[in-house]
Amino acid sequence: MDEFKRHFIRSGQEIRLCISQIQKNFPENLKNKAIQSGEAGVILECLGFRWELHQPQLFQSGTLTKLYMMALARGNANPEKELEKLLPAQLPGKMKEQRPVKKMIVSLKINDPLVTEAAFAVALKNLYLREVKVSVDDVLGVLAAAHILQFRSLFQRCVTTMMNGLTPSTIKNFYLAGCKYKEETLTTACEKWMEMNLVPLMGTQIHLRKIPQELLHKVLRSPRLFTFSEFHLLKTLLLWVYLQLNNKAQTIPMYETVLSFFSSFPKKCCFLDRDVGQNWMPLFLCLRLHGITKGKDLEELRHINFFPESWLVRVIANHYHALENGGDMAHVKDLTTQGVRFGLLFNQEYTTHSKVIAIYGFFFEIKGIKHDTTSYSFHMQRIRHTDLEFASSVCEHSPISLRAERLVTYEIRAQTLVDGKWQEFTTNQIKQKFGLVKSSCKSHALKIQTVGIPIYASFSFVFSLS
């Protein structure tokens, strides 16, 4: 046995070279078409079944190739020479000259619980037939089987199926599979999908509970994260925590229910300072609480005693400082990581879509326009509080600035999915004075051409120091 091992290791390089040549030279019609008349030469024992395989198909799997080599080596002093004989025997015109098939038995033990008999059968079927369809429901098991078999082409097709099949119900398992098998393209696709859909889609579904904390943390730190506002993002994260602590909840609760839940804890310390909350502190450190300016919203946060008091004191102090200085956000140093974010989700049915935002006494309309089937533009413009159709509701409890000009650093970004790939458009960072007259009230427009829908349009800005 020791002599066999030494010989096998010594000849390993030559065997790998020979296998590579055989895989390269086998005709495609033999790789992808089941042999109707040829007798199977290999019996694979796996998962309690005996699977009959042919050499041309077997050599598409790195794992099965190695098992075959080892079995061949047990009965031959020079297994690489035996392998070399396989090539001419399988070429067209040589089929009639094949020697009688000597069946060989190989065994494979699989411990991955994702690999079921059905998934393994689909994987083996793909050795014989080109492009066997793998459904989203079965793709996890087939991916796991392809990984074990070292069947790279099938593995990549499974990855593509998963990337195209991301939904609130699949995102968790697909992301964890990408991490497990170290498939960066899949994990990146999951992260990107979550950046766009955390607030508008996941934040409305019970599947939010399943999002791993690691993934959530990555998404919250991303500068590409889409949200309707900083307050919408906060509410989504509070909901995620609520669902972690209320496993029996089967539907999304009302926001008031979430507030009542956190308010029910004893007031001796805030939630994030408790043992149960400290593990989630890194998530909330990613929030831009300074972007929440409505007094009502801040009062609710103080009442539920969720954040350390020092956090809320700092936010309120920054707000007072900004109001006293005409809106200057001295506490914000970087647009990318600290800018206040607002968003529009531009759907198929829209020709125009807009909303009004108010901050430190200034009012802006953020707007998207559809010009034709593939042409869109997005911009923001300053408006007078008296021009608002619903001035009373927007201006209620809100300060009003009479300053003629406001210096703003901003960026408008649009993202959409086309054929499985994300398209990104941006104005890059622009610094501009916004006045109240027509010539100076409007931002640069982000003009895009795309067939993608919906379009996630993000507006990030900072009131720069005057």
Side-chain angles (χ1 to χ4, degrees), residues 69-340:
M69 286 163 46
M70 293 175 65
L72 196 64
R74 283 195 291 268
N76 295 276
N78 293 299
E80 61 272 22
K81 291 185 178 180
E82 289 296 319
L83 288 171
E84 290 172 350
K85 296 177 182 177
L86 290 173
L87 180 57
Q90 299 290 347
L91 290 175
K94 298 287 185 178
M95 300 300 289
K96 294 181 180 180
E97 303 175 16
Q98 287 185 10
R99 295 174 298 172
V101 174
K102 179 182 178 182
K103 289 195 176 183
M104 192 171 296
I105 298 177
V106 297
S107 297
L108 175 62
K109 186 176 182 180
I110 296 178
N111 295 319
D112 192 331
L114 289 177
V115 183
T116 63
E117 292 88 347
F120 194 68
V122 172
L124 293 182
K125 186 177 181 180
N126 272 269
L127 292 172
Y128 287 82
L129 300 175
R130 184 189 298 271
E131 301 296 320
V132 174
K133 185 176 180 181
V134 180
S135 70
V136 172
D137 293 337
D138 299 329
V139 71
L140 271 176
V142 179
L143 178 87
H147 175 77
I148 290 171
L149 290 172
Q150 296 179 27
F151 190 178
R152 191 62 187 172
S153 62
L154 175 60
F155 186 88
Q156 286 302 319
R157 282 198 284 119
C158 288
V159 168
T160 299
T161 297
M162 295 165 82
M163 291 170 60
N164 293 331
L166 291 172
T167 65
S169 62
T170 63
I171 183 69
K172 173 195 171 183
N173 289 334
F174 287 5
Y175 173 76
L176 293 178
C179 295
K180 178 178 181 179
Y181 301 118
K182 297 180 174 59
E183 186 59 34
E184 187 175 349
T185 56
L186 179 56
T187 55
T188 300
C190 292
E191 291 166 11
K192 182 63 181 177
W193 187 90
M194 276 290 293
E195 289 167 3
M196 295 299 99
N197 291 292
L198 173 61
V199 173
L201 187 57
M202 296 301 300
T204 65
Q205 300 198 20
I206 198 67
H207 297 293
L208 177 67
R209 169 191 285 139
K210 301 177 183 178
I211 301 304
Q213 183 173 341
E214 175 196 3
L215 174 58
L216 192 56
H217 192 219
K218 286 182 180 179
V219 170
L220 290 172
R221 294 175 62 187
S222 171
R224 296 181 299 273
L225 172 63
F226 174 85
T227 181
F228 297 117
S229 69
E230 302 299 341
F231 190 59
H232 277 88
L233 182 58
L234 168 62
K235 290 198 294 184
T236 300
L237 195 51
L238 288 175
L239 177 58
W240 181 85
V241 173
Y242 174 89
L243 293 174
Q244 305 310 301
L245 299 174
N246 293 269
N247 294 325
K248 294 182 179 180
Q250 297 300 312
T251 58
I252 291 293
M254 299 289 289
Y255 179 57
E256 291 73 18
T257 302
V258 177
L259 294 180
S260 297
F261 172 76
F262 290 117
S263 298
S264 67
F265 285 85
K267 302 299 182 183
K268 60 180 181 179
C269 70
C270 73
F271 180 84
L272 288 180
D273 282 338
R274 297 178 179 278
D275 291 340
V276 67
Q278 286 182 356
N279 289 334
W280 296 319
M281 182 78 78
L283 299 178
F284 288 88
L285 286 170
C286 297
L287 296 179
R288 304 179 188 182
L289 295 179
H290 58 270
I292 301 173
T293 59
K294 288 185 179 180
K296 175 178 177 294
D297 298 336
L298 292 170
E299 179 59 27
E300 285 179 349
L301 295 184
R302 188 195 65 79
H303 178 69
I304 64 175
N305 196 32
F306 188 91
F307 294 99
E309 185 174 357
S310 61
W311 291 23
L312 297 181
V313 168
R314 183 169 61 250
V315 168
I316 294 172
N318 287 334
H319 289 340
Y320 277 119
H321 184 275
L323 286 169
E324 289 175 351
N325 290 275
D328 290 349
M329 298 180 180
H331 54 285
V332 177
K333 307 299 182 184
D334 180 65
L335 177 66
T336 302
T337 58
Q338 296 177 295
V340 180

